[in-house]
Amino acid sequence: VSGIGSLRDEFGDFDGRVWLNAAHQGPLPLRAADAARRAIADKLAPHRIADEDFRHVPEELRSALARTIGALPDDVILGNSTTYGLHLLAHGLPLRDGDEVLLVDGDFPATVVPWLRLRERGVRVRLLEPRARPLPPEQLEAELGPRTRVFCSSWVFSLSGETVDLAEFGRVCREREVVFVVNGSQGVGARPLDVAAAPADALVSCGFKWLCGPYATGFCWIRPDVRDTLEYRQDYWLAQLTGDDLSSEAAYALRDDLGARRFDVFGTANFLDFAPWRAAVELLLEVGLERIAAHDDALVQLLVDGLAAIPRLRLASPADQPARSALVLASHVDEDRTDGLHAALAAGGVDVALRGGLLRLSPHLYNTSEDVERALALLARHA
Ligand SMILES: Cc1ncc(COP(=O)(O)O)c(C=O)c1O
């Protein structure tokens, strides 16, 4: 499919199985595994770790991540999860008693949970019940009240595969001066995004799905003017350090000129996680996110067509662009039999997710049309 089948060589053999589950975990590319091995070798003989590495490792990762979303590196915050960035926003944005945060019912818990404790401060946290799926921008517009300060939604919904209209949501929010926070975890790395053009105020993402990084990775981009409003106190000695002199008075001074770095996760030079993650992100950039998106979508088309040809299966995610994503959900018409299909796929060497009673197949750059055909053949046989 679309000429990047050779990228299979950049990955392991998945024990001879088919991994159609990037929406759960992206596999580490081989070059990222090499980077992880180098990081372990360095820690086995720590003389190999130079002082400058504590700066280079995070900065090189920051630059690579910035390129995946069209951001400036200086506006990227390094984290250890999606939640890291959402927590920073939920507890840093200047929200007061009576203010409102709007979320979408049916969104993945990671997008919802970080906001809930704001209720203890008198902030109204309300879940919108979409009257159509995905949530129509007109409904969002009608629901915004005078005290609505934040709207937070996933870009791609993990449990339904729907892609929301970022441009329209962003336009609605901007007109009403509502901060628009996007959880891009199921889209960043699978398709290009340009935050300079997209009207989002903040974007959070994990690193271990479509970006193919190790677990416990994530990042966050916040528009500088919104970042400046954050009332979040954290100060990290290593981020503040200007020179090598730990005994100088400057080492004790609080700096206010750190920009996004001020909010990085502590232990920012996380060699074992960040060195392989950077290698993975650089591979995706080398291939090109446009090409990856085209490849993934071609596989999605094969899945959508193939599922439609199996009479006893029902597609549960959007069939067409722009609402569809690289997450394809389906069930047996006899719902009790969906679990059995999941087991039959696993027994036949094809790994997909089972979420909310639905099969979820999520192909990515290392998958081929043969992988999809193997999955479809098993489904046809067992449906
Ligand atoms: C939409 C979405 N956001 C976030 C996560 C993960 O959140 P975190 O990185 O905080 O563990 C997932 C899946 O695990 C997800 O599907």
Side-chain angles (χ1 to χ4, degrees):
V1 171
S2 66
I4 59 172
S6 62
L7 275 179
R8 197 65 198 74
D9 302 341
E10 293 278 350
F11 291 84
D13 73 350
F14 310 143
D15 292 338
R17 302 174 65 84
V18 171
W19 185 251
L20 277 173
N21 202 358
H24 167 50
Q25 291 272 335
L28 205 60
L30 293 173
R31 59 169 83 176
D34 288 341
R37 276 189 282 272
R38 280 196 297 275
I40 289 175
D42 290 351
K43 188 64 180 168
L44 280 167
H47 70 94
R48 299 184 189 184
I49 305 173
D51 283 354
E52 305 86 71
D53 295 338
F54 285 83
R55 198 160 38 79
H56 290 155
V57 166
E59 291 321 314
E60 282 157 7
L61 172 63
R62 200 187 309 276
S63 296
L65 290 171
R67 288 171 59 207
T68 66
I69 58 165
L72 294 173
D74 283 347
D75 294 331
V76 169
I77 296 165
L78 299 175
N80 59 11
S81 57
T82 316
T83 302
Y84 183 84
L86 284 173
H87 197 273
L88 169 65
L89 288 154
H91 295 279
L93 287 168
L95 298 169
R96 309 276 178 257
D97 191 357
D99 286 344
E100 183 178 67
V101 173
L102 280 185
L103 307 168
V104 184
D105 201 11
D107 209 334
F108 193 79
T111 317
V112 173
V113 169
W115 304 96
L116 296 181
R117 205 166 286 282
L118 291 177
R119 287 174 174 158
E120 294 170 6
R121 275 205 246 151
V123 174
R124 187 165 185 228
V125 181
R126 189 156 65 91
L127 288 161
L128 292 182
E129 187 74 57
R131 61 160 187 263
R133 292 208 167 258
L135 173 75
E138 313 78 65
Q139 185 185 354
L140 172 64
E141 192 157 20
E143 296 275 3
L144 296 179
R147 296 292 301 271
T148 309
R149 302 282 179 249
V150 177
F151 172 59
C152 175
S153 168
S154 286
W155 181 17
V156 172
F157 276 55
S158 313
L159 307 176
S160 66
E162 295 151 1
T163 306
V164 305
D165 189 340
L166 282 189
E168 275 304 291
F169 280 3
R171 183 190 58 75
V172 168
C173 288
R174 189 141 301 175
E175 275 172 20
R176 302 285 286 273
E177 292 183 32
V178 169
V179 175
F180 179 31
V181 178
V182 178
N183 177 359
S185 294
Q186 294 290 8
V188 175
R191 46 173 71 181
L193 177 68
D194 181 6
V195 289
D201 295 298
L203 175 102
V204 296
S205 178
C206 65
F208 51 88
K209 297 180 189 286
W210 302 90
L211 287 172
C212 296
Y215 184 66
T217 49
F219 76 103
C220 174
W221 166 87
I222 308 178
R223 267 211 358 251
D225 55 324
V226 174
R227 192 178 73 222
D228 287 345
T229 70
L230 296 183
E231 300 168 341
Y232 197 82
R233 282 167 185 75
Q234 80 171 36
D235 293 290
Y236 180 37
W237 69 274
L238 200 47
Q240 304 219 116
L241 214 58
T242 38
D244 296 333
D245 190 358
L246 296 178
S247 60
S248 78
E249 240 175 74
Y252 287 167
L254 283 181
R255 287 175 57 184
D256 288 321
D257 60 348
L258 291 173
R261 281 173 187 75
R262 179 175 160 206
F263 299 113
D264 281 347
V265 66
F266 304 136
T268 318
N270 180 344
F271 300 106
L272 294 191
D273 255 2
F274 284 2
W277 189 21
R278 173 192 158 202
V281 172
E282 286 180 349
L283 168 66
L284 301 187
L285 291 169
E286 219 174 277
V287 178
L289 291 170
E290 295 277 359
R291 270 179 78 200
I292 292 173
H295 174 85
D296 291 3
D297 196 56
L299 294 176
V300 165
Q301 188 65 55
L302 288 180
L303 277 170
V304 168
D305 293 343
L307 290 168
I310 305 173
R312 296 173 68 75
L313 289 190
R314 193 168 44 204
L315 183 70
S317 51
D320 300 302
Q321 291 285 8
R324 84 177 180 201
S325 66
L327 284 62
V328 178
L329 289 102
S331 66
H332 198 283
V333 285
D334 176 359
E335 282 173 11
D336 293 344
R337 292 190 52 195
T338 307
D339 282 23
L341 284 178
H342 181 249
L345 284 168
V350 176
D351 297 306
V352 309
L354 183 65
R355 293 284 183 276
L358 300 171
L359 299 172
R360 188 182 66 193
L361 300 86
S362 45
H364 202 14
L365 68 164
Y366 41 80
N367 288 120
T368 60
S369 51
E370 289 79 37
D371 291 347
V372 169
E373 277 151 20
R374 186 162 153 192
L376 289 169
L378 284 163
L379 287 169
R381 185 168 339 132
H382 295 278

